[in-house]
Amino acid sequence: MRNKTIEKKYQTALNDLINYLKNSRFLNDKNVEDAFRNIPRHEFVPESELDYAYNNEPLLIKNKQTISQPGVVSRMTEWLDVREGQKILEIGTGSGWQTAILSYLVGEGTVYSVERYSELVKFAQENLKKLNIDNVHVILGDDSVGFAKESPYDRIIITAACTEIPLPLIEQLKEGGLILAPVGDSSQSLVLLQKTFKGIIEIKNESHYVFVPLRGKFGKK
Ligand code: SAM
């Protein structure tokens, strides 16, 4: 159902959101715009939040977690420079909306997404199923971090705030691959790193973001 026509009542709100993101330079890439148009955010929010689905704000989903703000998802997706056929690891599935956007961009590739709350694993799986998305595996996280079994990955994205990028995730990244995460305490910087044969290099860094915390052994207690 990739080409599912977005319900008419949401079309104007989506167009307004896209125009806003383009004008504020949070959406610049045509492929990412296509992904936003083909992966309707209203399919990923609880019924109580439907009226706000196309506002540029995070919304509560379950377990006190949030579906990310559209401007943050467009920024992160663009920085990740996703290509068709790639294998991607996401830490923090939440509603599955960012996951679905990645799945659209990889085409025949695959997205592995790890979530620590079983209720959210189920919520995301149901949302992805509504759109007939079949190139995503949602995995219930344990105390390790990532999903070493399917590594190495072309891209890794962490969608929760971490104090530093967990080393096991760097190990699960391909040489030449990119890893993106919000790093910091009460306020975070988006940090994009590349793994090269010479070591890890920082590609981009932008401050003033706020995410829910990464939990578990490699996150906040
Ligand atoms: N991008 C998602 C979306 O659009 O719906 C929202 C992600 S939400 C901001 C961050 C998610 O990370 C939450 O669902 C949270 O439960 C999850 N999380 C936190 N710590 C985690 C961990 N150690 N492993 C896996 N998921 C984790």
Side-chain angles (χ1 to χ4, degrees), residues 6 28 35 41 58 65 68 95 101 106 124 142 160 173 176 195 205:
I6 189 166
N28 310 286
R41 192 175 188 242
Q65 303 303 313
S68 302
S95 69
I101 285 176
V106 295
D142 55 23
L173 185 63
K195 185 172 179 175
N205 186 317

Side-chain angles (χ1 to χ4, degrees), residues 53-65:
Y54 293 97
N55 288 4
N56 186 30
E57 59 186 2
L59 300 170
L60 274 176
I61 42 176
K62 287 171 191 283
N63 299 87
K64 296 186 184 161
Q65 303 303 313

Side-chain angles (χ1 to χ4, degrees), residues 175-213:
E175 194 174 294
L178 299 171
I179 183 165
L180 174 61
V183 180
D185 290 321
S186 52
S187 162
Q188 302 95 42
S189 295
L190 279 185
V191 177
L192 179 70
L193 304 179
Q194 185 170 35
K195 185 172 179 175
T196 74
F197 70 99
K198 285 186 185 162
I200 303 297
I201 54 173
E202 186 176 286
I203 307 288
K204 289 183 189 212
N205 186 317
E206 188 171 72
S207 52
H208 304 305
Y209 287 87
V210 178
F211 284 74
V212 295

Side-chain angles (χ1 to χ4, degrees), residues 20 29 31 37 47 62 65 72 94 99-100 107 126-127 147 161 179 212 219 221:
Y20 173 77
D29 183 313
N31 290 335
R37 292 193 181 282
E47 225 174 304
K62 287 171 191 283
Q65 303 303 313
V72 174
T99 324
E126 286 167 359
N127 295 337
F147 193 53
I179 183 165
V212 295
K221 304 298 165 209

Side-chain angles (χ1 to χ4, degrees), residues 130-217:
K130 283 189 276 181
L131 300 184
N132 290 339
I133 291 173
D134 58 8
N135 60 345
V136 169
H137 301 270
V138 183
I139 300 133
L140 180 63
D142 55 23
D143 209 27
S144 62
V145 70
F147 193 53
K149 199 172 136 199
E150 290 294 336
S151 66
Y153 299 94
D154 298 289
R155 302 284 187 266
I156 299 180
I157 178 172
I158 308 175
T159 68
C162 40
T163 40
E164 57 185 34
I165 294 182
L167 198 56
L169 292 182
I170 304 275
E171 286 163 3
Q172 291 171 40
L173 185 63
K174 263 185 202 165
E175 194 174 294
L178 299 171
I179 183 165
L180 174 61
V183 180
D185 290 321
S186 52
S187 162
Q188 302 95 42
S189 295
L190 279 185
V191 177
L192 179 70
L193 304 179
Q194 185 170 35
K195 185 172 179 175
T196 74
F197 70 99
K198 285 186 185 162
I200 303 297
I201 54 173
E202 186 176 286
I203 307 288
K204 289 183 189 212
N205 186 317
E206 188 171 72
S207 52
H208 304 305
Y209 287 87
V210 178
F211 284 74
V212 295
L214 186 79
R215 300 284 183 194
K217 189 172 163 192

Side-chain angles (χ1 to χ4, degrees), residues 83-109:
R83 311 284 173 89
E84 276 204 30
Q86 286 185 327
K87 182 155 70 166
I88 302 206
L89 174 66
E90 177 184 50
I91 309 298
T93 319
S95 69
W97 182 51
Q98 167 82 79
T99 324
I101 285 176
L102 296 171
S103 90
Y104 178 88
L105 292 169
V106 295
E108 298 292 306

